Amino acid sequence: MTEMEFGGPLGVTAMMFGLPITIFGLFLFCNDPEVGCPSYSALPDWSKYTFFSSEAMVVFLAWIGFLMLLWYVLPGTWAEGVTLPSGGKLKYKLNGFSSFLVVMFALASGHCMDVFNLAWVHDNYLQLATASIVFSSVMSIALYVSARSKYSIPSKFLATPGSSGIAIYDMFMGHELNPRLGNLDLKQFCELRPGLIGWAVINASCAIKQYQTEGYITNAMYLVNIFQLIYVVDALWFEKAILTTMDITTDGFGFMLVFGDLAWVPFTYSLQARYIVAFRSGVELSTLTVIWIVSLKIVGMAIFRGANGQKNKFRTNPKDPSVSHLKTLPTERGTQLLISGWWGIARHINYFGDWVMAVSWCLPCGFDSIIPYFYAIYFAGLLIHREMRDEHNCKNKYGKDWDKYCKIVPWRIVPFLY
């Protein structure tokens, strides 16, 4: 029987309503400079906002379609994923970075030639968020119905976490492991393209909006855009690394990942840039503050990229000189667990680096409001939950060998603390 997470059917149902409400709430309670962020004195005036527009829906659908077109027409290398439970490997086309370059060139050219004003994205933020929520919900239902209708589908293509037999739960977790349109893997596509690149586009639109409003861009806005752009570029440049992550290898493609990829990432991760436009325009950070924030970002990036790169290299080519010297713990499964290098410091040291970067993204917003730090707070909870999932799965997978590993590497995420 499938072990249930997130509180089972009731928990995931609450999340399917609560997550969209959170996106709307972050906008409504932190958007108007006249009432503050958050608004303590009065509830937001919903009547002055337009939640849905056909124009925004068309733009969002065109965005998805354009990125799919780039996947098909741009050249790319093909890489194999991890071995499926019943054997065999799926192949994935890797051209995310080149797609990103084409998108940014097209948007920059269109804006500079006055074909469109990229600040439109900022001005239609709420309508675009609604479009992403509607699309994610419909896609999640379609994926579940499609998976259930494939009566001849081999069990190897079904995701264990989303095979409880309870429709609402399986739709949330994802019933099918790797749904595809021909050779296009929908999960890999959505993980790194529409939402991730869209996040960078939203940030850029906020910078343009600030420039058009104030006549210049503050160093805080530059920091947020550069930091988060580096994160996006890093993910796309090292696109192959995602093929060994839990999202690809274990989780099904349902509402949890669809909504997270297409709605949650672009419309909550861009909160800092939007906050700076509304509440911090004209505020410049001191040189010392900039140096401190940049240093924190570099430390987080070094930990995150170093650990993930080491893990991916070891999984794909353990004889590579960069990882062949690392100490390992042999397991009864015939595999090996790293017990030195980054992975000898903490069992999920990459999560620590990821969170340090998250904090550096929030600091340019100052300390007038806690709302811009929503991402760092939420992300800490997410990483701890993900770590607990990983620990549970690894315990089931490796048994006593995992207990041995935990004794050798006692720290979970933060050395000497957790």
Side-chain angles (χ1 to χ4, degrees):
M1 182 177 178
T2 300
E3 295 184 35
M4 294 190 181
E5 304 178 62
F6 305 107
L10 290 178
V12 301
T13 300
M15 291 179 68
M16 291 172 72
F17 285 97
L19 292 174
I21 291 173
T22 300
I23 290 178
F24 290 139
L26 288 173
F27 179 88
L28 295 173
F29 284 91
C30 191
N31 185 65
D32 190 346
E34 295 182 2
V35 297
C37 174
S39 171
Y40 294 108
S41 59
L43 292 175
D45 182 5
W46 292 34
S47 63
K48 69 179 183 180
Y49 295 112
T50 300
F51 282 80
F52 178 85
S53 75
S54 56
E55 181 184 23
M57 180 58 76
V58 169
V59 169
F60 185 82
L61 293 175
W63 173 247
I64 300 292
F66 180 53
L67 288 170
M68 279 191 168
L69 177 64
L70 292 180
W71 184 91
Y72 279 106
V73 301
L74 292 179
T77 60
W78 288 86
E80 289 185 335
V82 300
T83 303
L84 296 169
S86 57
K89 297 181 180 181
L90 295 174
K91 290 186 177 181
Y92 299 84
K93 186 177 182 180
L94 308 178
N95 62 0
F97 183 70
S98 58
S99 296
F100 168 79
L101 293 179
V102 171
V103 166
M104 288 304 180
F105 177 79
L107 292 179
S109 299
H111 177 79
C112 292
M113 294 188 295
D114 292 326
V115 176
F116 49 77
N117 183 357
L118 196 57
W120 178 92
V121 175
H122 170 275
D123 296 340
N124 290 267
Y125 184 96
L126 187 58
Q127 297 93 320
L128 289 169
T130 301
S132 73
I133 291 168
V134 171
F135 182 87
S136 300
S137 302
V138 172
M139 183 176 181
S140 300
I141 295 171
L143 286 168
Y144 178 73
V145 172
S146 174
R148 293 292 296 173
S149 66
K150 298 176 182 177
Y151 296 109
S152 61
I153 185 171
S155 59
K156 66 181 180 181
F157 292 121
L158 296 181
T160 300
S163 298
S164 69
I166 302 174
I168 190 70
Y169 182 83
D170 291 345
M171 186 182 75
F172 178 87
M173 298 299 293
H175 191 49
E176 190 172 353
L177 184 61
N178 300 106
R180 293 188 161 212
L181 292 176
N183 290 324
L184 171 62
D185 188 276
L186 293 175
K187 185 161 57 170
Q188 180 223 8
F189 172 81
C190 290
E191 282 270 319
L192 289 178
R193 293 157 195 261
L196 205 66
I197 299 176
W199 170 22
V201 173
I202 293 173
N203 281 352
S205 77
C206 291
I208 290 172
K209 182 67 177 181
Q210 185 183 62
Y211 180 81
Q212 293 177 351
T213 303
E214 303 293 331
Y216 68 99
I217 298 174
T218 62
N219 57 9
M221 180 65 81
Y222 274 121
L223 284 181
V224 168
N225 265 266
I226 292 172
F227 284 176
Q228 297 183 355
L229 183 63
I230 289 172
Y231 189 90
V232 171
V233 169
D234 176 81
L236 294 168
W237 181 261
F238 295 100
E239 185 176 8
K240 186 178 180 181
I242 197 178
L243 303 183
T244 59
T245 63
M246 187 176 180
D247 285 359
I248 299 295
T249 64
T250 306
D251 290 330
F253 196 43
F255 184 89
M256 178 177 71
L257 291 182
V258 175
F259 181 87
D261 293 339
L262 303 183
W264 188 261
V265 167
F267 294 102
T268 63
Y269 289 20
S270 58
L271 173 60
Q272 291 78 31
R274 190 173 60 79
Y275 176 84
I276 291 172
V277 172
F279 299 95
R280 299 279 291 180
S281 283
V283 179
E284 292 282 354
L285 303 174
S286 69
T287 301
L288 185 61
T289 300
V290 171
I291 293 173
W292 176 59
I293 295 174
V294 170
S295 299
L296 190 67
K297 165 67 177 180
I298 292 173
V299 170
M301 190 71 182
I303 297 171
F304 177 76
R305 177 45 53 202
N308 281 338
Q310 193 175 77
K311 177 186 68 173
N312 186 61
K313 179 62 68 175
F314 182 78
R315 284 184 174 180
T316 56
N317 183 16
K319 295 182 180 180
D320 188 278
S322 63
V323 294
S324 59
H325 64 285
L326 297 175
K327 296 179 181 179
T328 61
L329 173 68
T331 69
E332 294 181 359
R333 292 172 54 90
T335 57
Q336 295 180 319
L337 296 172
L338 286 172
I339 56 173
S340 67
W342 286 109
W343 301 94
I345 299 174
R347 301 197 293 272
H348 306 278
I349 188 66
N350 56 328
Y351 291 172
F352 178 55
D354 214 354
W355 186 77
V356 170
M357 286 192 291
V359 173
S360 74
W361 300 347
C362 302
L363 288 172
C365 297
F367 301 101
D368 293 336
S369 171
I370 196 173
I371 298 299
Y373 291 83
F374 168 82
Y375 174 70
I377 297 169
Y378 138 80
F379 200 47
L382 175 70
L383 291 176
I384 291 173
H385 175 264
R386 186 179 294 173
E387 173 265 325
M388 293 171 66
R389 291 183 74 202
D390 291 346
E391 291 282 323
H392 179 73
N393 290 333
C394 288
K395 173 63 177 176
N396 290 338
K397 183 177 181 180
Y398 296 108
K400 294 180 179 179
D401 290 324
W402 188 252
D403 294 332
K404 295 178 184 177
Y405 173 64
C406 291
K407 290 181 180 179
I408 298 172
V409 186
W411 303 108
R412 293 171 177 261
I413 298 177
V414 185
F416 308 106
L417 184 62
Y418 175 74

